[in-house]
Amino acid sequence: MSIPTQPVTRPENPRFSSGPCAKNPQWTLNALSDAPLGRSHRAAVGKAKLKSAIETTREVLGIPADYKIGIVPASDTGAMEMALWSLLGARPVEMLAWESFGAGWVTDVNKQLKLGAKVTTADYGQIVDLDAVDFDADVVFTWNGTTSGVRVPNGDFIPSDRAGLTICDATSAAFAMDLPWDKLDVTTFSWQKVLGGEAAHGMLILSPRAVARLESYTPPWPMPKIFRLTKAGKLIDGIFSGATINTPSMLAVEDYLVALDWAKSVGGLAGMIGRADANTAVLETFVDTHDWLEFLAEDPSLRSNTSVCLKFNDARIKDGPAFAKAVAKRLEEAGVAYDIGAYRDAPAGLRIWCGGTVETADLAALMPWLDWAFTAEINS
């Protein structure tokens, strides 16, 4: 059968990757001209940039004044590893996993730290029974499953009088979802997700309860220098005022500052949430009118507004993974959508980033192309 005619309108920006994510629509390389390149990050100018990154993060996300915010190495992964290795072991641990990154933290805690944590899992597209979680234990979970498109609906399942700590990987949630800071003791994210910043740096946010744990508990295992958050039983406070553990990229720091300023220009956190919600609504409308496509997350209350995961549903499809890859390839070769295949460990389908740096008009322009690619592949 013949391939259908391609749509006329094209997305201006075909970058719908779930990480690294699209730069904000106003970004240019010239925006980084103020970066103090070739200068020490410990010089006054470097310290000022790092401190500004911390405090502007606090401003935009509404993080309480008594919470500590640190810039750490190795992206969200580094921030989570620092938290797991530094804080766990004082109490029982419960791990919640409904996608690949949550499952990765389970591996670290039980196979590397050998803590024998209770593990509660759910299949891709589903979520665990949040009301059954034991918060007398330290609880580790992802707020938004980047590879499953499933998020927790809110923080109501976390009690205020919990005995344990909550350790939350929020890397594809921060700046797109309303995080209840009073319910989160440790929160991590990376610059390259919702704000479209550069990779390699992570953010580690600690509540007073988390700081108290750090200053009262010493893990029994050796602690690499890059993970150490305390010295002589006290928090290394410089980490949380811009004195980073290792040398950061001042170019990446400048890029993050530019991204934060842009977020403020579109209405701060509320504006960023609104942009992500509007983007997701474009996909919801398309899925509602095309019976061959479904959300991986069936419950709308659990559906991500950033890493939106889709699956094909058509009896004519004989090889699901091959079909999904072929559709994604057609869209990439047409130059209208890059990097939208499902994550390698997830069910076959597509994953389209809807975070706030993506323009709603670009998603609207992509939808006819998605219809075109499906029709072309099903008839091939």
Side-chain angles (χ1 to χ4, degrees):
M1 299 180 68
S2 62
I3 296 176
T5 303
Q6 291 184 348
V8 175
T9 303
R10 308 169 66 88
E12 289 191 14
N13 186 353
R15 294 167 178 83
F16 300 104
S17 164
S18 291
C21 301
K23 295 292 189 185
N24 76 72
Q26 298 177 5
W27 187 90
T28 67
L29 193 58
N30 290 337
L32 309 184
S33 61
D34 196 41
L37 303 184
R39 295 294 308 275
S40 171
H41 62 295
R42 304 197 189 284
V45 63
K47 288 182 178 179
K49 292 282 188 180
L50 290 161
K51 186 175 179 60
S52 178
I54 288 171
E55 293 309 318
T56 310
T57 298
R58 186 187 307 278
E59 175 190 353
V60 176
L61 290 180
I63 300 170
D66 58 351
Y67 278 49
K68 302 289 187 179
I69 305 172
I71 298 171
V72 300
S75 195
D76 178 67
T77 300
M80 277 295 289
E81 296 287 10
M82 290 176 75
L84 300 179
W85 283 68
S86 299
L87 290 161
L88 295 184
R91 302 185 68 85
V93 181
E94 182 163 356
M95 309 291 296
L96 312 181
W98 47 84
E99 51 95 45
S100 59
F101 289 103
W105 306 138
V106 172
T107 297
D108 288 345
V109 169
N110 279 351
K111 292 191 176 181
Q112 302 301 320
L113 298 179
K114 303 184 187 303
L115 289 177
K118 176 184 177 182
V119 179
T120 306
T121 64
D123 292 336
Y124 280 84
Q126 306 296 320
I127 202 168
V128 301
D129 181 358
L130 297 173
D131 292 331
V133 178
D134 178 12
F135 286 94
D136 283 341
D138 293 333
V139 178
V140 182
F141 68 103
T142 56
W143 190 273
N144 181 82
T146 310
T147 64
S148 70
V150 174
R151 64 177 175 181
V152 297
N154 52 56
D156 293 350
F157 70 101
I158 303 172
S160 298
D161 60 350
R162 61 193 177 278
L165 299 179
T166 52
I167 300 177
C168 175
D169 174 355
T171 197
S172 55
F175 298 102
M177 302 171 200
D178 192 9
L179 300 175
W181 296 107
D182 61 320
K183 302 295 184 74
L184 303 177
D185 296 304
V186 181
T187 309
T188 68
F189 67 88
S190 59
W191 295 352
Q192 76 265 27
K193 290 294 187 182
V194 180
L195 286 187
E198 290 302 295
H201 299 78
M203 301 299 279
L204 177 64
I205 303 168
L206 304 176
S207 75
R209 298 178 76 247
V211 173
R213 169 72 65 81
L214 284 168
E215 295 185 338
S216 64
Y217 167 68
T218 301
W221 41 78
M223 189 70 68
K225 175 183 178 181
I226 208 162
F227 285 179
R228 294 176 201 159
L229 295 170
T230 61
K231 184 176 182 179
K234 291 295 182 182
L235 188 73
I236 303 174
D237 207 57
I239 295 172
F240 303 93
S241 61
T244 54
I245 293 173
N246 71 335
T247 305
S249 162
M250 296 311 297
L251 192 64
V253 171
E254 191 69 23
D255 188 74
Y256 182 56
L257 288 169
V258 168
L260 287 167
D261 285 344
W262 174 80
K264 290 168 63 176
S265 77
V266 296
L269 180 59
M272 291 292 288
I273 292 173
R275 288 175 65 90
D277 287 347
N279 289 341
T280 306
V282 172
L283 293 183
E284 289 173 343
T285 298
F286 186 83
V287 171
D288 286 346
T289 54
H290 295 78
D291 58 7
W292 46 263
L293 195 63
E294 298 176 347
F295 288 101
L296 189 58
E298 297 177 3
D299 184 345
S301 71
L302 304 177
R303 193 174 294 155
S304 172
N305 67 345
T306 56
S307 54
V308 178
C309 296
L310 304 165
K311 60 183 179 180
F312 293 104
N313 178 29
D314 192 294
R316 293 170 292 178
I317 299 173
K318 304 306 179 185
D319 185 336
F323 184 87
K325 287 180 180 178
V327 169
K329 183 179 179 180
R330 284 183 185 272
L331 293 168
E332 180 165 350
E333 289 179 345
V336 295
Y338 300 147
D339 311 321
I340 65 167
Y343 189 74
R344 61 179 179 268
D345 296 332
L350 303 176
R351 180 174 57 158
I352 300 176
W353 185 255
C354 288
T357 59
V358 173
E359 293 278 51
T360 303
D362 283 337
L363 280 164
L366 175 61
M367 293 302 98
W369 283 93
L370 183 53
D371 199 357
W372 166 83
F374 171 82
T375 304
E377 190 58 35
I378 206 74
N379 291 335
S380 64

